[in-house]
Amino acid sequence: TCRELGIKSIAVYSEADERAMHRRLADEAYPIGPAPAAESYLDIGRLVEAIERSGAEAVHPGYGFLSESARFARAVESVGAVWVGPAPEAMDAVGYKVRAKELARRADVPTIPGYDGEEDGEERLAEEARRIGFPVLVKASAGGGGRGMRAVTHENEFIEAVRGARREAEAAFGDASVFLEKLVEAPRHIEVQVIGDQHGHVIHLFERECSIQRRHQKVVEEAPSPALDPALRESICEAAVRFAREACYTNAGTVEFLLDGDDFYFLEMNARLQVEHPVTELVTGLDLVHLQLAVAAGEPLPLAQDDVTLRGSAIEMRIYAEDEAGMPSGGLLETFSVPEGAGVRNDAGFEAGDEVPLNYDAMLAKLIVSAPDRPTAVRRLRRALTDYEILGPSSNLPLLRRIAAHPAF
């Protein structure tokens, strides 16, 4: 996107990523420290130094590490650079799940029955769990990705689950606070892509379905959702826009919902671009990063809600360097041959000859297929997975092929 717009791109890299593809592709690159993320990609001071040394006018937060850190956004703005994302105040408002649920209620967006009061001692939580009725979910207030989350089916398991969730939340987010939600036992995971400009306009770019997950991490994402009829689609997308307006949200973001039959409940908001944004791009014909940069530059959105239309079907699968047990796998990528053909897109972070480090997330690439309808998209996906070839690190291709071949899929 930057190349198309004639914008110079500047990368940062740790010692582990000295030969990484993102460094090779950028116009300039700056080292920011040792391999451990805490000493490089998560070190705000080092990142700010790189901004100042390079003279960068704007910072795109990506979708990992500090992408949802209001503190980092403020640090970027403090040195005169533009943050290509929502205002730090909006990030604060939606990033803390309890506060986000309050915003949802104010915006008349349905929320899951639960308890998120300030009094979160064990006895009070147990009392509230009995009121909600088992099974319940204990969830970390300050984070996501399944960390600090425990499903509890019986009351006698509840206190230990709360203690375990607190320990995990403290370790992952530095915040041990938890809240409760009714456990929806057979939900679908629907998220709505929204984008707002600095002139008060907010629109949605329809929904994606992300129900196929492993350990609470998404594996398959598609647009549109096969579970929504036109009336339910309109209802859930309008709810997402109401929420974003209530949060005074600008730039790109995703409002996530649990779908339970014809009922839907607000789950959380991701204050950033999502890994699965390509499926939305392929069914709307819009470049989300282009829109992000335009909004960050102060331009009004170039289109109104009625200008956004759905075309066909798109499916994304995440290609990971991991073994059958889901453990990360690193080493030399001896072969990395990606599928090609009509309706096939590859967003890859590696190529043959690259070393896959074990220091970070194990995602190698994203395979995205699109077609005029879902059955054709599924056939293209199966063919593309057959053509995919990786030698060196283990990959999750066998799992993805099984999913794509499954009758339920």
Side-chain angles (χ1 to χ4, degrees):
T1 302
C2 287
R3 282 177 173 167
E4 281 185 6
L5 295 171
I7 296 171
K8 188 164 78 171
S9 60
I10 300 157
V12 291
Y13 62 94
S14 72
E15 287 171 9
D17 280 340
E18 200 167 340
R19 294 182 181 84
M21 181 189 270
H22 78 270
R23 184 192 175 185
R24 296 197 297 271
L25 291 176
D27 295 307
E28 286 180 23
Y30 289 80
I32 52 164
E39 298 171 44
S40 50
Y41 296 116
L42 291 171
D43 188 319
I44 290 175
R46 288 178 190 242
L47 287 160
V48 167
E49 270 176 39
I51 295 165
E52 292 183 307
R53 275 166 53 210
S54 66
E57 294 173 23
V59 173
H60 191 292
Y63 37 63
F65 295 120
L66 296 168
S67 58
E68 290 185 270
S69 167
R71 186 169 150 246
F72 181 43
R74 289 188 176 98
V76 167
E77 292 176 346
S78 74
V79 293
V82 171
W83 173 253
V84 185
E89 297 73 28
M91 295 173 85
D92 280 334
V94 304
Y96 198 73
K97 290 185 181 177
V98 172
R99 238 173 289 161
K101 284 185 82 169
E102 288 168 10
L103 280 173
R105 287 191 281 263
R106 290 213 306 261
D108 196 25
V109 175
T111 58
I112 302 170
Y115 172 73
D116 54 20
E118 285 183 21
E119 193 184 325
D120 69 348
E122 288 177 0
E123 280 308 310
R124 179 61 190 274
L125 288 175
E127 183 187 316
E128 293 294 338
R130 285 191 290 272
R131 178 186 62 78
I132 296 163
F134 290 91
V136 298
L137 265 182
V138 183
K139 297 178 80 172
S141 297
R147 294 180 183 89
M149 185 158 76
R150 297 287 190 280
V152 190
T153 49
H154 302 291
E155 188 174 340
N156 60 359
E157 301 163 356
F158 182 75
I159 297 299
E160 191 44 51
V162 168
R163 289 172 184 168
R166 284 196 200 280
R167 284 193 298 271
E168 203 172 308
E170 176 68 44
F173 313 114
D175 182 340
S177 57
V178 296
F179 65 103
L180 305 181
E181 277 181 357
K182 178 72 181 165
L183 177 62
V184 182
E185 295 193 78
R188 294 176 84 122
H189 188 131
I190 306 291
E191 59 186 30
V192 178
Q193 177 70 59
V194 296
I195 188 158
D197 63 22
Q198 296 169 30
H199 306 273
H201 307 120
V202 182
I203 61 172
H204 69 77
L205 306 182
F206 294 102
E207 86 287 350
R208 300 185 284 261
E209 173 150 353
C210 310
S211 299
I212 299 175
Q213 302 186 10
R214 184 185 202 184
R215 296 189 304 274
H216 307 294
Q217 299 288 338
K218 298 167 188 172
V219 177
V220 185
E221 297 108 349
E222 64 177 289
S225 165
L228 301 187
D229 60 29
L232 189 51
R233 173 167 294 115
E234 186 176 354
S235 182
I236 203 166
C237 289
E238 285 178 357
V241 169
R242 286 200 306 276
F243 179 86
R245 284 201 179 111
E246 187 67 39
C248 301
Y249 195 90
T250 54
N251 217 278
T254 310
V255 187
E256 302 203 1
F257 298 93
L258 284 183
L259 182 68
D260 186 18
D262 286 336
D263 297 319
F264 62 87
Y265 304 105
F266 171 79
L267 188 60
E268 63 180 340
M269 183 170 194
N270 290 293
R272 55 178 165 85
L273 192 68
Q274 293 280 89
V275 173
E276 57 273 20
H277 75 274
V279 293
T280 294
E281 295 186 336
L282 289 169
V283 296
T284 61
L286 299 167
D287 183 325
L288 264 71
V289 178
H290 193 155
L291 290 175
Q292 280 193 297
L293 294 170
V295 165
E299 295 175 20
L301 283 169
L303 68 173
Q305 188 63 69
D306 289 347
D307 299 323
V308 185
T309 54
L310 268 177
R311 295 171 246 179
S313 175
I315 308 169
E316 174 179 304
M317 282 187 159
R318 303 184 185 198
I319 314 296
Y320 281 100
E322 61 180 28
D323 62 21
E324 280 288 309
M327 296 301 290
S329 174
L332 178 68
L333 261 180
E334 295 165 32
T335 301
F336 190 66
S337 177
V338 299
E340 295 176 350
V344 177
R345 168 174 163 175
N346 292 285
D347 286 14
F350 294 86
E351 57 191 8
D354 283 352
E355 195 79 25
V356 179
L358 285 169
N359 309 78
Y360 315 115
D361 186 272
M363 188 162 59
L364 297 172
K366 303 181 294 187
L367 168 66
I368 313 104
V369 298
S370 58
D373 54 58
R374 191 175 188 274
T376 309
V378 171
R379 282 199 300 274
R380 278 186 177 162
L381 178 68
R382 288 172 178 161
R383 179 70 218 186
L385 288 168
T386 302
D387 291 347
Y388 223 115
E389 196 180 354
I390 297 172
L391 289 176
S394 300
S395 81
N396 66 335
L397 284 170
L399 170 69
L400 300 181
R401 288 170 184 145
R402 288 199 302 274
I403 291 170
H406 198 287
F409 180 70

